[in-house]
Amino acid sequence: MSKTLATVSALALLASSAQAGLFISEVVDATLAGGNPKFVEITNPDGSDYTFSGGGIAVQSNANTDYDIDVDLTGITILAGQSYVIQSTSNDGSNVFFNTYGFDADLYTAAFFSNGDDRYILADGDDGGGVATSFLDIHGEDGVDGSGTAWEYTDGYAYRLPAYSTTGTGLAFDVSEWFQSGVNALETGDDVEELALIRSLTTPGVHIVPEPTTFALAGFGLLTLVLARRRS
């Protein structure tokens, strides 16, 4: 293989790996008023903005197995290297979120959200009738009630580990890719203590992923700069 061809192949490979796609990066089922904050965070690790032309979030509650889209994200843009936070408005969720973190979520929805044992499914396509058809990522096992599983986070939280903060896995959930707080991690019985825990352990909007890869070409050499992650 010529040096020129090798360089082109390397560029194609790296460009392909950089276009990893959106993934679910954090899920929270907290313990303040009404079981809030209760949100899901999506992160775009790519070097370009992404706008949904269809799809959104499907929430499988209990033992349900449907892929009905509960949060339509059509037209929503997630900027390159940024995270997007969706909070439930149930039980005054929007006010609890703001009072907890001091800023608003990117999107508020009236959709039912997970109690820590339900599944979030991220899709970028649908059948035109509100059913997801193209799956990007999932938290939880597809179609499985999470009660008592290793991925249950009732009154707790979970976030994608740095080593896996590059791409979604479709419907193939792997709990080893996540930090799972376990059940009752945010529950103390004291509102002041719980508020402090939530603020210190959950990070809506700041899930850090590798920033867009920069390519520097010197002669036939290819230099890849991989930027450090801030979350460990």
Side-chain angles (χ1 to χ4, degrees):
M1 181 182 294
S2 70
K3 289 183 177 180
T4 301
L5 180 57
T7 300
V8 171
S9 298
L11 279 169
L13 177 62
L14 288 169
S16 175
S17 66
Q19 299 302 313
L22 310 183
F23 64 93
I24 298 171
S25 46
E26 185 173 15
V27 291
V28 171
D29 174 49
T31 53
L32 299 180
N36 287 296
K38 191 186 294 286
F39 69 82
V40 56
E41 177 191 82
I42 303 167
T43 295
N44 177 6
D46 291 346
S48 57
D49 301 344
Y50 179 85
T51 300
F52 283 86
S53 58
I57 297 287
V59 184
Q60 288 184 339
S61 60
N62 301 319
N64 291 339
T65 60
D66 67 83
Y67 300 127
D68 295 343
I69 294 172
D70 297 285
V71 183
D72 184 0
L73 295 178
T74 302
I76 294 294
T77 297
I78 303 181
L79 301 179
Q82 299 297 307
S83 296
Y84 191 87
V85 179
I86 307 170
Q87 160 72 35
S88 171
T89 59
S90 297
N91 301 313
D92 202 32
S94 54
N95 283 325
V96 176
F97 185 96
F98 182 84
N99 291 334
T100 299
Y101 300 111
F103 57 87
D104 280 313
D106 295 293
L107 179 67
Y108 290 110
T109 176
F112 170 84
F113 264 14
S114 176
N115 287 323
D117 56 0
D118 306 306
R119 282 76 62 211
Y120 287 112
I121 298 172
L122 177 62
D124 65 348
D126 59 72
D127 65 355
V131 178
T133 57
S134 177
F135 305 105
L136 297 175
D137 204 13
I138 186 171
H139 180 271
E141 297 173 80
D142 183 21
V144 176
D145 186 330
S147 300
T149 65
W151 53 268
E152 183 184 3
Y153 63 99
T154 301
D155 293 339
Y157 63 100
Y159 62 82
R160 209 59 163 266
L161 294 171
Y164 305 101
S165 293
T166 57
T167 185
T169 59
L171 293 177
F173 177 70
D174 185 349
V175 70
S176 70
E177 295 189 0
W178 292 79
F179 172 84
Q180 295 283 154
S181 74
V183 175
N184 296 328
L186 299 174
E187 177 67 66
T188 70
D190 181 276
D191 287 347
V192 174
E193 291 178 353
E194 289 174 5
L195 177 60
L197 272 179
I198 294 165
R199 286 175 172 170
S200 65
L201 297 175
T202 65
T203 58
V206 294
H207 188 85
I208 305 306
V209 299
E211 299 201 16
T213 304
T214 300
F215 302 104
L217 204 57
F220 294 112
L222 181 64
L223 174 63
T224 302
L225 302 178
V226 180
L227 303 182
R229 301 180 179 93
R230 289 181 287 173
R231 198 172 198 174
S232 59

